[in-house]
Amino acid sequence: MSNGLKKRIVKEIKVDLDKCIGCRACEMACSGFHAVPKFSSTNPARSRIRVIIEDRKDVYVPVRAGDYAQAECNCRNSYVINGKEYSECSFCTVSCSTRDLFKDPDSGLPLKCDMCADDPTLPEPMCVQVCCCDALTYVEREEEGENEVGPRGEIEVGLESLVNRFGIDKVVDLVSQLSKTK
Amino acid sequence: MRYAETGFDLEIDLSRGSIDRVETDPELSRLHLGGQGTAAKILWDRVPPEVDPLDPENLLIFSTGLLQSTPVPGANRTAVDTFSPQTGFYSHSLFGGFFGPELKYAGYDKIIFRGKASDLVYLWINNDKVEIRDASHLRGKGAQETALILKEEVGEPNAQVAAIGIAGENRVYMASIEHANSSASRGVGVIMGDKRIKAIIVRGTKDVNVAQPKELAEISIPMYRKMYDNKDCGDSMAHGEGDAFHVDNFAWGNARTRRSEFFSKEMENDWLSLEDKLRQRWTGCHNCPKDCHQAIKYPGRMPYFQKCYSKLTYAMGAFGDLDFDYNIIGITQEYGMDAYSTPQTIAFAIELYEAGILTDKDLPDFPGPDGETVEGYKVNEARFFYLVERIARREGIGDVLANGIYAAARQIGNGAEAYDHNTIKKFEQVPIKLGYVNFPYFLMYATGEKMNITQIEGSFPQAPIADKAERAEFVKNWDAAPERFKKWFMEWEPRQNPSLEASVHICDWNETMHYVDDAIGTCAFLSSFRGQFGGRPPYHIYNLPAFITHATGIEFDTDGLWEVARRNRNLIRALNVRRGLSRVDEKPPANHWKKREPETEQKLLDMYYEFKGWNNDGIPTKETLDKLGLEYVSNDFIQRGILPECEGDQS
Ligand code: SF4
Ligand code: SF4
Ligand code: SF4
Ligand code: SF4
């Protein structure tokens, strides 16, 4: 590829806030799909998509878990859309220290949407499959762009948060210990 | 490991302030499933008939359905069970939304309240941490206002709240329990208030496990799309079908007047466009693809959710219009009042006033006289606003009306009893007055224990299909129906009653499906209530066993499921029999139909009792009870002299 650009598939989940009925089926499907074995348990607190609902304000915002951040951001946004006020953090995908979303309820480790990566590949991500009213829709398109590194996996994100919490030395020690015993 | 359920109940003694997490017997799930079924067992064991519903020893039980919080879509109904001071009998209500699922994720299948707090409290359940907290700052607050305050107070925007309004606080018999987009009515809010529980707030972040995940997911995931595409499930009457069904067929005022000429196409369009204006969105309940609940923003009112036919109950009770109804629900839902019983009680009071039985002395400054408008409202609408305030606060005549129509009529006296013409077992019924007695409906009304016909009817179609070919087509793909009903439906001609035998079975099948739903938590709009319109409910007696088996790991087939429903039905009947229920109570309002067939009706009742294995006073026989493993009930009946010592002389 002479120009250094490469075609890549961009996967996108479109969110239409007006169509969301607040049923939380997406949370159920996501947490079920990521249970081991698959669907052996459900627990919305483990879901990588959460629907932020403030029902008296007509606020319904499905948000998928993005990156982990060690600390809260220093400049939060709040939005008013069509006269409706959305609380700060409503649209934020970050697993950050200020919220209990997107953290595993047992380990506290951050959760991140992996687009339901699986073998064989799902026709559509689980959350989209169960969202019949099309509040969530799945689009794939080709884009030309820098051949960049793929999205960071769960292990990387999890490890990084452990490093942040306990320091690199402790984590390295533990990993070498584990590698001896396992 | 326990599957589908957590295996733990939360026992709260409000008098002592104690909180216990109690492991439950897994055998009970096999016998009763969960929800209403296991709640009935607890009520039987722990609330003898000597306990008055307003005694501290009465229990108030919130039960998750067995399939709640599993991947099975649309299983979100929470049952509330207790004994009612209005009827003296078992009181049962269901609500949807998100409360039950959250409770299960917190690690509990049920909350069982006993005793009474000395002052208003709320219960805060945060997984394993459970606290009874002072709620005096919430006194007088609206139900949803309370929810908002509590979520803020505990700092958990994702928590779920069930709360009472002032009606419950004031022990109004038609008080409801309000939660998110749903409410529980039919006599449970008064007990919550009597126990001084303003609210329950729950947050849960634990797993709920299922036994056979692969098999369960395989049948559950496709259900979302099936339900979504199925026009014959969900609340289609709330949703797009328009209001003609209720407006034309239900009675107005104090359940007397049909206005079949009233509703024009133009009016219907006006109403639909008013709704479009007031509605912010349609919403669903937990894990369900349907969207039966309208989020309503009425000027000057707290935003609220409207469901079922409540958008017309006040309007029709007041001979008012849709705008009035949406206006007044904005108040009554915050006060926490049952949208069926409340408007009927008010319409009853207005009739008494018009008849001179209630006077200006009872109703000082009552809006009127007829024909005037009061501050832009029709007179009766203004009277509704007036009476809602009196009843919710038990002020003046409101204190009497708050006991429900049956008791109020007797307290008022002076001929008021004649105006109590639409109650069964002392409970207000849906205002329906029809022409000719309908056999299956006669049985459902007479023998039902869930107090409202919508909780009993629903699997067999309400009306026959005239065209034979269409009829055959309908029957061909009628997966929900046991074979015998296909034959009976084929034989059913317009303006006829099904045969007596068919009528008995229709009543049995209809109620059976509700007993199944109310134990496993599936919504009636996806199951027991929906077969009657269109015959294609997503859940039915043939496909539900697989869902239950895969979720719980307990083997169920259709017969097994039917047997559990029968066990629960008999146990609930036993609760009421022990409180004095007998054949004399089992009758629809005298004027429910213009033309009756008294002899045939009594014959029907005989046949139904016999079919059910009950004696001719409607009491389950020892043989019936013992076959269902309810020996402890038959023993109790014999001890109490309800059943004779020797099976032979039962009659
Ligand atoms: S499944 Fe769709 S409609 Fe339901 S809460 Fe999630 S995004 Fe909203
Ligand atoms: S959740 Fe809120 S505080 Fe945290 S990163 Fe996002 S916007 Fe900032
Ligand atoms: S795409 Fe998959 S992992 Fe991501 S939120 Fe949806 S269900 Fe969860
Ligand atoms: S069918 Fe309607 S009422 Fe029933 S659970 Fe679904 S959204 Fe709620």
Side-chain angles (χ1 to χ4, degrees), chain B residues 1 28 36 52 63 91 120 152 171 194 215 219 260 277 341 443 514 516 519 525 580 631:
Chain B
M1 193 195 288
L28 292 178
Q36 176 189 39
D52 185 87
S63 306
S91 170
L120 221 49
E152 186 98 351
R171 299 180 180 85
D194 187 54
E215 292 82 350
I219 56 174
S260 45
K277 217 173 74 199
S341 293
L443 285 176
H514 282 279
V516 171
F525 279 126
E631 290 87 355

Side-chain angles (χ1 to χ4, degrees), chain B residues 23 52 64 95 100 140 206-207 209 232 257 285 353 364 404 407 504 514:
Chain B
E23 190 161 4
D52 185 87
T64 62
F95 66 103
K206 299 191 196 184
D207 294 352
N209 301 297
D232 292 326
T257 318
C285 305
Y353 179 76
V504 167
H514 282 279

Side-chain angles (χ1 to χ4, degrees), chain B residues 281-339:
Chain B
R281 100 174 43 227
W282 292 98
T283 73
C285 305
H286 187 252
N287 204 26
C288 176
K290 303 305 263 192
D291 53 354
C292 308
H293 307 253
Q294 308 189 75
I296 295 292
K297 193 168 183 191
Y298 192 93
R301 306 276 177 240
M302 168 93 128
Y304 68 87
F305 288 86
Q306 186 280 325
K307 63 262 168 193
C308 298
Y309 127 86
S310 68
K311 65 175 170 182
L312 290 174
T313 54
Y314 289 96
M316 291 179 71
F319 292 94
D321 63 22
L322 191 68
D323 182 80
F324 158 71
D325 206 298
Y326 278 110
N327 185 353
I328 199 166
I329 312 181
I331 299 172
T332 53
Q333 220 147 280
E334 273 303 88
Y335 287 176
M337 299 171 91
D338 179 351

Side-chain angles (χ1 to χ4, degrees), chain B residues 242-244 247 252 262-263 265-279 311-312 315-316 320-323 326:
Chain B
D243 297 313
V247 173
W252 296 64
F262 169 80
F263 208 44
K265 202 73 227 158
E266 195 192 336
M267 204 178 221
E268 179 153 27
N269 289 336
D270 284 352
W271 284 23
L272 285 172
S273 62
L274 173 67
E275 251 162 36
D276 287 341
K277 217 173 74 199
L278 297 176
R279 185 191 320 113
K311 65 175 170 182
L312 290 174
M316 291 179 71
D321 63 22
L322 191 68
D323 182 80
Y326 278 110

Side-chain angles (χ1 to χ4, degrees), chain B residues 383-487:
Chain B
R383 289 169 169 174
F384 261 63
F385 285 116
Y386 173 105
L387 281 166
V388 157
E389 298 298 330
R390 299 298 182 289
I391 293 173
R393 299 193 160 74
R394 278 192 176 272
E395 272 169 20
I397 194 68
D399 191 30
V400 176
L401 296 170
N403 295 335
I405 290 178
Y406 178 91
R410 276 132 198 99
Q411 274 173 273
I412 293 164
N414 199 13
E417 292 91 337
Y419 294 77
D420 161 28
H421 70 106
N422 198 41
T423 54
I424 302 176
K425 297 169 187 163
K426 306 184 186 166
F427 199 84
E428 295 81 17
Q429 299 298 309
V430 181
I432 303 177
K433 299 292 160 189
L434 300 166
Y436 201 91
V437 60
N438 175 313
F439 293 166
Y441 270 85
F442 167 81
L443 285 176
M444 288 187 273
Y445 276 113
T447 67
E449 242 122 338
K450 297 192 175 174
M451 297 306 175
N452 183 307
I453 192 67
T454 58
Q455 310 298 310
I456 305 162
E457 66 183 352
S459 288
F460 196 79
Q462 283 200 0
I465 298 176
D467 183 272
K468 278 245 167 65
E470 264 176 54
R471 208 185 293 171
E473 192 56 34
F474 175 87
V475 164
K476 209 169 73 192
N477 299 313
W478 197 10
D479 299 338
E483 276 312 305
R484 54 190 181 278
F485 295 98
K486 299 183 183 170
K487 178 176 151 277

Side-chain angles (χ1 to χ4, degrees), chain A residues 17-25 28 37-46 50-51 55-56 58 60 84 100-101 105 126 129-133, chain B residues 69-70 98 105 144 156 158 180 203 205-210 213 217 221 224-225 228 280-291 303-305:
Chain A
L17 302 186
D18 290 336
K19 288 186 176 158
C20 178
I21 59 167
C23 65
R24 300 187 181 279
M28 293 294 283
K38 281 198 177 71
F39 292 103
S40 56
S41 67
T42 57
N43 182 353
R46 280 190 216 288
R50 296 309 306 270
V51 191
D55 61 5
R56 306 297 134 174
D58 195 42
Y60 294 80
K84 255 189 292 179
D100 73 346
L101 301 187
M126 278 316 300
Q129 280 188 40
V130 300
C131 183
C132 303
C133 59
Chain B
S69 312
T70 71
F98 308 85
Y105 288 123
Q144 293 307 337
E156 275 291 353
N158 284 318
R203 175 80 181 119
T205 61
K206 299 191 196 184
D207 294 352
V208 171
N209 301 297
V210 298
I221 302 299
Y224 292 99
R225 180 58 59 183
Y228 184 78
Q280 293 182 292
R281 100 174 43 227
W282 292 98
T283 73
C285 305
H286 187 252
N287 204 26
C288 176
K290 303 305 263 192
D291 53 354
Y304 68 87
F305 288 86

